[in-house]
Amino acid sequence: MNHETKKKIEEIINSDKVVVFMKGSPDFPQCGFSANLIGLLNHYGIKYTSFDILQDNEIRQGIKDYSDWPTIPQVYIKNEFIGGWDILNEMASSGEIVDVLKEKKIN
């Protein structure tokens, strides 16, 4: 990944407390995993900023390299990579997501 792409990714991640890299937008997700993740965040009342990776091919690949995580969506909370839909779903099922939100002072 080139320096400019890395810098742009870091600017996006730093733009809000919770940032979601997804396919599509929260109003019009372009894949089921993105739609499920947005539903989960909305269920918990988590405010977030999203970035549509379908609009930028450099970010689309770059975020996978940056996080060393092969799939989209990806969630960052206070600049820390948390995981994708599968991880967030597990965290919600176990109740761990509530602990993480409290620890990071989200909401």
Side-chain angles (χ1 to χ4, degrees), residues 54-74:
L54 298 177
Q55 302 299 315
D56 188 324
N57 283 330
E58 286 186 35
I59 299 296
R60 183 179 191 167
Q61 183 55 48
I63 193 61
K64 294 175 187 179
D65 296 338
Y66 186 87
S67 64
D68 196 26
W69 192 261
T71 60
I72 301 295
Q74 294 187 13

Side-chain angles (χ1 to χ4, degrees), residues 77-107:
I77 298 179
K78 289 201 172 174
N79 308 331
E80 179 185 348
F81 176 63
I82 302 299
W85 159 244
D86 52 345
I87 300 299
L88 272 284
N89 187 40
E90 287 177 22
M91 291 172 71
S93 295
S94 71
E96 182 184 358
I97 195 168
V98 173
D99 297 334
V100 169
L101 295 172
K102 284 181 184 174
E103 173 189 320
K104 297 202 174 277
K105 297 179 172 71
I106 303 296
N107 291 358

Side-chain angles (χ1 to χ4, degrees), residues 2-73:
N2 67 43
H3 176 72
E4 288 302 313
T5 301
K6 183 177 180 183
K7 183 178 174 185
K8 187 173 179 182
I9 288 170
E10 289 173 346
E11 287 173 0
I12 295 166
I13 291 170
N14 290 319
S15 71
D16 205 346
K17 291 178 183 176
V18 180
V19 177
V20 178
F21 290 86
M22 62 182 292
K23 294 178 181 174
S25 68
D27 293 330
F28 193 61
Q30 295 294 302
C31 82
F33 298 119
S34 292
N36 290 340
L37 179 63
I38 294 305
L40 183 129
L41 295 174
N42 290 341
H43 172 78
Y44 283 94
I46 300 169
K47 295 178 182 169
Y48 57 88
T49 295
S50 67
F51 185 87
D52 180 2
I53 55 99
L54 298 177
Q55 302 299 315
D56 188 324
N57 283 330
E58 286 186 35
I59 299 296
R60 183 179 191 167
Q61 183 55 48
I63 193 61
K64 294 175 187 179
D65 296 338
Y66 186 87
S67 64
D68 196 26
W69 192 261
T71 60
I72 301 295

